[in-house]
Each structure stands twice: as C-alpha cells, then as structure tokens.
C-alpha cells in the first residue's frame, strides 16, 4: 500500500491507473468496522481503492469536537493494509494557508435534521468532498448510510454540479447490541454507552409499531415518550422521506425512514432505519 500525503504525488500515482476503475472512500480516520465495510464494497466495485483520511475543520462548528476528534493514524494504516487498500491519501492541509476564500453551499437540504443544529456543517462536507473528487477523480465514491443526510446531499451535489462520479451508499454497520458504529463512540463512558443503546432500540420499537399498522403520528409520539422517559437529550426524532428528506406524509411509503440524533453526555450520536423493516437495505 502507498501512503501519499501530497496532492501532486497522488495525481502522479493515479495517472498510471486511469485505465482501471478507481474507487474513493473518503474518511476522517479512526477507522472501525463501518469503514471496513465501505472499503470492502469499494474493492468489490473497482480495481483501485483510494482511502482518504482528513479531519476537515470546515465541517465542524464552533464548540464542536474538531481538536478532540480521535486521530489514530497508525491503527488506520494497519486496517488499510489488512483490507488491501491501494493508496492511503493523508493530506496535511487541503485549504490554502490564507484561509477559505471559496467554498460550496448547500441550500434547503441542510435546513432539516442535522443541518439545523450543525450550522454550516454540510457546506463544509460538500466543499471538502468536492476537493477530494477533483484530486482523485475516481469513478465512484462510497459513503456510509449512517450519515444518511450527508449521502443524500452528496448524491444531489454530483447531479446538480454534473460531476461524473457515482456516489454509492453502503449499509450502516452496528455493534452486536445494535449501537450504530461511529468514531465518536469511543468518547462514551460505560454508562453513556448503555444510554446510547436507547437510540437503536427506539428505532426498532418504532419499526415494530409500523409493522402493526400504527399511524406515523402515534409512532412518533411513542418514540418521543420513550426517549423522554430514558432522559435522552434529544435533538430530533423524525420520520421523513429518505430521498427528498421532506416530512413523511400520513400514508406509509417504502421510502419512509426514521432519523434520530441526541447528545449522550458530550457526544452527539445519530442513527436511522427504514420505517418498514422488511425493506432494510442489506447490501
Ligand atoms: O463522513 C465523513 O467521515 C466525512 O463527513 C467525510 C465524508 C469524510 C468528509 O469530511
């Protein structure tokens, strides 16, 4: 595996591979089984796999965990070698030294869910992913479905900006007890980790209620009451259309998805599941 830190060096290396298909797996490092599933999918879909590791300051708001975000480069290298990654791209800084003068902006799609409490977050995401797309020029790029809103916005970005790259989603990976895998899980104390389980549990309970034919209004009210009872510091619990991210209508649809975000101690966690369980993506 090549570890490359300079844009020019990466371009030189990839210029030799252009006859093959190239997949990019953009990450912020601190790789876990969720990232491994992205890498494995990339390897199934392309000849050359590039993993990028870059903790992008532009997508962190003031007061968020940019400084504290876990950097575990040595372990990440081992995982990438074991998974047969071809290139690990770890740039030091992707932005010009005199500050960010040009960036991309998301409209409307960041006015819901995580965008409401993480102002500017998705502008930072699309800006850096666009840079990575320009640098690597892959045929496809893989993103996890845990960050469903991010994936939806990035799909829209390539469509709206005519970027010739396929954005591919990869199913969320859970711990054995149901907790959605996240680099931020390592912030949790034992007690907080137990509390975090309420998030996946409530999504499952809501799926069960949907399977019994309960109304969405009732399902949401049960979910909110359950999380309140568990003393969860909730950001949102909502059922939305998974493609448009608009609020779900009263009539059940296969594209209805439940989204939750909460602060567990100082850690912000998110999760999502389809409302209709048998439609769970097992790809
Ligand atoms: O999902 C992430 O880890 C980040 O948002 C991404 C896509 C690597 C952009 O910094």
């Amino acid at each position: 595996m090549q570890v490359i830190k300079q844009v020019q060096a990466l371009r030189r290396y990839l210029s030799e591979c252009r006859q093959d298909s190239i997949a990019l797996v953009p990450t912020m490092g601190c790789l876990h089984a969720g990232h491994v599933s992205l890498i494995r999918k990339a390897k199934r879909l392309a000849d050359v796999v590039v993993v990028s590791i870059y903790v992008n300051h532009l997508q962190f708001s003031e007061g968020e965990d940019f400084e504290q975000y876990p950097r575990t480069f040595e372990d990440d290298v081992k995982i990438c070698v074991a998974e047969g990654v071809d290139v690990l791209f770890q740039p030091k800084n992707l932005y010009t030294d005199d500050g960010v003068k040009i960036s991309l902006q998301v409209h409307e799609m960041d006015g819901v869910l995580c965008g409401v409490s993480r102002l500017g977050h998705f502008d930072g995401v699309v800006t850096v992913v666009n840079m990575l797309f320009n640098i690597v020029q892959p045929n496809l790029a893989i993103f996890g479905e845990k960050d469903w809103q991010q994936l939806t916005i990035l799909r829209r970005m390539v469509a709206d900006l005519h970027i010739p790259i396929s954005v591919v989603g990869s199913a969320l990976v859970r711990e054995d007890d149901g907790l959605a895998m996240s680099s931020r899980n390592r912030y949790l104390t034992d007690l907080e980790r137990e509390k975090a389980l309420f998030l996946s549990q409530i999504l499952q309970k809501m799926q069960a209620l949907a399977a019994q034919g309960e109304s969405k209004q009732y399902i949401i009210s049960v979910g909110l009451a359950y999380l309140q009872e568990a003393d969860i510091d909730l950001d949102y619990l909502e059922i939305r259309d998974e493609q448009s991210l608009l609020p779900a209508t009263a009539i059940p649809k296969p594209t209805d998805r439940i989204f939750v975000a909460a602060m567990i101690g100082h850690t912000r966690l998110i999760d999502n599941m389809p409302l209709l369980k048998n439609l769970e993506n097992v790809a």
Side-chain angles (χ1 to χ4, degrees), residues 145 148 238-242 248 253-259 272-275 279-281:
E145 289 183 353
W148 190 277
E238 294 181 33
I239 304 173
R240 286 184 175 263
D241 180 85
E242 64 181 27
K253 282 193 286 49
T255 53
D256 287 336
R257 187 165 280 268
I258 326 167
F259 298 91
N272 68 81
M273 282 184 199
L275 182 63
L279 298 168
E280 180 96 62
N281 180 356

Side-chain angles (χ1 to χ4, degrees), residues 122-259:
F122 290 109
D123 294 345
V125 170
V126 291
T127 299
V128 80
V129 170
N130 200 52
M131 282 184 185
L132 291 165
F133 281 4
N134 286 331
I135 294 166
V136 178
Q137 298 185 12
N139 302 82
L140 56 105
I142 319 262
F143 298 88
E145 289 183 353
K146 181 172 78 71
D147 297 293
W148 190 277
Q149 188 174 12
Q150 166 172 284
L151 176 62
T152 309
I153 288 173
L154 290 171
R155 284 201 166 114
R156 184 68 191 236
M157 176 182 88
V158 291
D160 283 15
L161 302 184
H162 303 281
I163 299 174
I165 295 172
S166 307
V167 167
V168 179
S170 188
L172 191 156
V173 180
R174 298 182 181 281
E175 304 279 0
D176 289 343
D177 57 9
L179 181 67
M181 293 225 177
S182 163
S183 303
R184 291 189 169 97
N185 288 350
R186 61 169 61 203
Y187 297 152
L188 301 170
T189 62
D190 289 351
L191 262 174
E192 287 169 351
R193 203 189 168 294
E194 276 185 23
K195 212 168 173 184
L197 284 181
F198 283 111
L199 301 185
S200 55
Q201 281 168 4
I202 193 54
L203 296 184
Q204 281 168 343
K205 274 189 205 302
M206 291 169 76
Q207 282 185 328
L209 292 173
Q212 288 162 24
E214 298 291 354
S215 74
K216 288 181 199 169
Q217 207 183 1
Y218 175 73
I219 294 171
I220 282 285
S221 68
V222 171
L224 290 173
Y226 180 86
L227 293 178
Q228 195 175 15
E229 175 77 8
D231 196 26
I232 297 287
D233 181 4
L234 187 66
D235 182 356
Y236 58 76
L237 175 70
E238 294 181 33
I239 304 173
R240 286 184 175 263
D241 180 85
E242 64 181 27
Q243 285 156 15
S244 66
L245 301 182
L246 293 172
T249 52
I251 305 145
K253 282 193 286 49
T255 53
D256 287 336
R257 187 165 280 268
I258 326 167
F259 298 91

Side-chain angles (χ1 to χ4, degrees), residues 26-28 35 52 54 56 59 69 121 125 128-129 132 143 147 150 154:
T27 80
M28 298 205 298
H35 296 109
S52 64
Y54 185 65
N56 170 38
Q59 70 187 74
Y69 198 84
H121 166 69
V125 170
V128 80
V129 170
L132 291 165
F143 298 88
D147 297 293
Q150 166 172 284
L154 290 171

Side-chain angles (χ1 to χ4, degrees), residues 260-273:
V260 66
M263 289 302 291
I264 307 289
H266 295 295
T267 309
R268 190 169 188 285
L269 297 180
I270 57 174
D271 200 345
N272 68 81
M273 282 184 199

